[in-house]
Amino acid sequence: MITLVKDINEADGITHNGTMHADEVFATAFLSLYFGNFKVVRVSEVPKDISSNAIIYDIGKGKFDHHQSNARIRDNDIKYSSFGLLFEEYGLRYLKKLKLKNTKAVYNYLVKDFIEAIDAIDNGIFPEIKSIYKIKIVSDVIKMFNPSYGSNDNEDEQFIKAVSLAEAILTEELKNVIGKVNANKKVKTILNKTKGPLLILDEYLPYEETVLTSLAGKKIKFAIYPSNRGGYGIKTIPISTTEKTSRVYFPKTWGGLTGEDLEKETGVKGSLFCHTNRFLMTASNLDIAIKLANIAIDVNEKE
């Protein structure tokens, strides 16, 4: 739990006041999760004669700041922000406190999946996004908590709100990453036993990233898995982690159809649903799912 205090001598952590950004907000959220009850003071500058043992971050040009000329940069040229620096210092210790399996793998995945992006954006490396509509990334969402023009919002109260959201996001991200890391080994085992273009799972597992980053996954065209709505889902596989175009699509004539209309078009009883964009289908059982996937592979529509 995070508490804001006014007296710097009472604080466990010291960060900057004024406009909030995702890096110190997520840094604060992480420190709150790691230490439990954590008192933070927000200041415009750190006193030169400070004698506090508090963790100073995103200000003061110390170990957990990144605004100095000799700030640390990763091997991939992504500069650390306060969040990345603090997670490097305390992240493994936090994960070990949670008594997780595959601690190092979870740590590495979390850095690549989430933390590096926060660091990069705070240091001015923005993603290239081609879209006809406005996209808000996590850093944009955190910025929304800064007091709006003309509002009477209190800066510190808004900071607490942003940190609470960041704690929730970080907690869910960690659960998601743990699931993916634990599933990775299972998916690899199935992939290595799979001879054809269909990845068939007997339970739903987060499979896509493992498929797209492994040599054995290059041959896979569709994944088939039990659907939480009943029956089986059949999903196309993207070309790569960065190119979301499918390797093979379901036939154009199937798109948007359901029930009897879809059965008539496919010629397969038990065809349930085909997404309008033809990247997802459902079938009443595994054999029908396999049959539909094989028909799509034979038709071989690339767009």
Side-chain angles (χ1 to χ4, degrees):
M1 178 181 174
I2 184 74
T3 305
L4 283 185
V5 296
K6 296 297 183 183
D7 186 345
I8 201 167
N9 296 307
E10 294 180 10
D12 303 309
I14 302 169
T15 192
H16 67 82
N17 59 13
T19 302
M20 73 183 86
H21 306 98
D23 69 324
E24 90 274 5
V25 168
F26 273 97
T28 305
F30 170 62
L31 291 171
S32 175
L33 290 171
Y34 177 55
F35 288 106
N37 294 323
F38 195 74
K39 297 177 182 177
V40 176
V41 64
R42 303 176 76 223
V43 297
S44 57
E45 63 179 352
V46 180
K48 291 181 180 179
D49 59 349
I50 187 169
S51 59
S52 170
N53 292 320
I55 297 170
I56 303 170
Y57 57 101
D58 212 35
I59 193 172
K61 298 186 178 179
K63 184 176 182 179
F64 302 117
D65 195 10
H66 63 111
H67 296 101
Q68 57 270 47
S69 59
N70 62 344
R72 291 179 55 218
I73 302 175
R74 294 180 175 87
D75 292 339
N76 60 5
D77 292 330
I78 294 177
K79 187 177 178 182
Y80 287 86
S81 76
S82 61
F83 184 31
L85 291 167
L86 283 164
F87 194 78
E88 183 180 67
E89 181 77 9
Y90 298 108
L92 271 176
R93 297 185 223 179
Y94 173 58
L95 297 176
K96 286 176 181 176
K97 278 177 64 175
L98 299 178
K99 297 181 179 179
L100 303 178
K101 296 178 181 178
N102 305 312
T103 304
K104 188 64 177 177
V106 171
Y107 173 91
N108 290 334
Y109 199 115
L110 192 58
V111 169
K112 290 292 183 185
D113 195 61
F114 191 77
I115 295 169
E116 280 190 351
I118 302 291
D119 286 0
I121 290 166
D122 194 76
N123 285 296
I125 304 174
F126 302 103
E128 294 182 8
I129 299 173
K130 296 179 181 179
S131 174
I132 61 172
Y133 54 88
K134 187 167 184 177
I135 293 175
K136 287 187 182 292
I137 56 179
V138 173
S139 295
D140 296 320
V141 173
I142 295 300
K143 285 182 184 178
M144 289 167 54
F145 284 86
N146 285 293
S148 304
Y149 173 73
S151 76
N152 294 316
D153 290 339
N154 178 274
E155 184 182 295
D156 285 345
E157 289 177 0
Q158 291 299 107
F159 182 78
I160 289 289
K161 289 180 186 177
V163 171
S164 297
L165 176 63
E167 281 191 41
I169 291 172
L170 197 51
T171 299
E172 294 305 316
E173 166 69 9
L174 178 57
K175 287 194 290 188
N176 190 266
V177 166
I178 292 168
K180 287 182 176 179
V181 168
N182 290 340
N184 179 59
K185 187 175 181 180
K186 289 185 176 182
V187 175
K188 279 186 175 179
T189 299
I190 297 167
L191 267 178
N192 290 332
K193 293 178 180 179
T194 299
K195 304 299 182 184
L198 304 181
L199 175 68
I200 300 173
L201 306 173
D202 58 11
E203 61 177 327
Y204 180 79
L205 297 167
Y207 62 86
E208 188 172 284
E209 198 159 339
T210 304
V211 171
L212 297 179
T213 56
S214 65
L215 187 62
K218 291 185 180 298
K219 63 180 178 289
I220 302 299
K221 302 288 178 61
F222 291 95
I224 299 174
Y225 49 85
S227 171
N228 57 11
R229 295 183 179 182
Y232 277 75
I234 321 154
K235 198 169 182 184
T236 63
I237 302 295
I239 291 173
S240 69
T241 54
T242 56
E243 175 55 71
K244 294 304 180 182
T245 302
S246 295
R247 295 175 180 179
V248 177
Y249 286 92
F250 292 107
K252 289 184 178 69
T253 56
W254 297 6
L257 298 181
T258 61
E260 292 182 1
D261 291 335
L262 182 59
E263 288 179 338
K264 183 177 180 180
E265 191 61 46
T266 61
V268 180
K269 193 78 172 172
S271 305
L272 300 178
F273 163 79
C274 182
H275 195 282
T276 304
N277 293 328
R278 299 156 41 234
F279 65 89
L280 173 69
M281 284 193 74
T282 56
S284 59
N285 62 47
L286 177 59
D287 289 339
I288 292 168
I290 292 171
K291 189 170 185 178
L292 291 168
N294 282 325
I295 292 172
I297 289 170
D298 290 340
V299 175
N300 197 33
E301 292 192 0
K302 301 293 187 180
E303 59 180 33

PDB file of all heavy atoms in Angstrom, residues 26 64 278:
ATOM      1  N   PHE A  26       4.902   3.609 -12.219  1.00  0.00           N
ATOM      2  CA  PHE A  26       5.074   2.153 -12.124  1.00  0.00           C
ATOM      3  C   PHE A  26       6.197   1.788 -11.161  1.00  0.00           C
ATOM      4  O   PHE A  26       6.136   0.745 -10.504  1.00  0.00           O
ATOM      5  CB  PHE A  26       5.318   1.543 -13.506  1.00  0.00           C
ATOM      6  CG  PHE A  26       4.043   1.215 -14.225  1.00  0.00           C
ATOM      7  CD1 PHE A  26       3.512   2.079 -15.156  1.00  0.00           C
ATOM      8  CD2 PHE A  26       3.352   0.046 -13.953  1.00  0.00           C
ATOM      9  CE1 PHE A  26       2.330   1.786 -15.818  1.00  0.00           C
ATOM     10  CE2 PHE A  26       2.167  -0.269 -14.595  1.00  0.00           C
ATOM     11  CZ  PHE A  26       1.644   0.607 -15.526  1.00  0.00           C
ATOM     12  N   PHE A  64      18.994   5.390  -9.034  1.00  0.00           N
ATOM     13  CA  PHE A  64      17.706   5.064  -9.638  1.00  0.00           C
ATOM     14  C   PHE A  64      17.110   6.238 -10.425  1.00  0.00           C
ATOM     15  O   PHE A  64      15.902   6.360 -10.572  1.00  0.00           O
ATOM     16  CB  PHE A  64      16.726   4.583  -8.567  1.00  0.00           C
ATOM     17  CG  PHE A  64      17.227   3.387  -7.803  1.00  0.00           C
ATOM     18  CD1 PHE A  64      17.460   3.459  -6.435  1.00  0.00           C
ATOM     19  CD2 PHE A  64      17.489   2.193  -8.457  1.00  0.00           C
ATOM     20  CE1 PHE A  64      17.931   2.362  -5.736  1.00  0.00           C
ATOM     21  CE2 PHE A  64      17.963   1.086  -7.767  1.00  0.00           C
ATOM     22  CZ  PHE A  64      18.191   1.170  -6.405  1.00  0.00           C
ATOM     23  N   ARG A 278     -12.055 -13.771 -40.735  1.00  0.00           N
ATOM     24  CA  ARG A 278     -11.567 -15.083 -41.164  1.00  0.00           C
ATOM     25  C   ARG A 278     -10.274 -15.549 -40.497  1.00  0.00           C
ATOM     26  O   ARG A 278      -9.511 -16.297 -41.078  1.00  0.00           O
ATOM     27  CB  ARG A 278     -11.410 -15.109 -42.688  1.00  0.00           C
ATOM     28  CG  ARG A 278     -12.713 -14.866 -43.425  1.00  0.00           C
ATOM     29  CD  ARG A 278     -12.560 -14.325 -44.827  1.00  0.00           C
ATOM     30  NE  ARG A 278     -11.490 -14.942 -45.547  1.00  0.00           N
ATOM     31  CZ  ARG A 278     -10.502 -14.249 -46.142  1.00  0.00           C
ATOM     32  NH1 ARG A 278     -10.458 -12.932 -46.088  1.00  0.00           N
ATOM     33  NH2 ARG A 278      -9.552 -14.888 -46.807  1.00  0.00           N
TER      34      ARG A 278
END
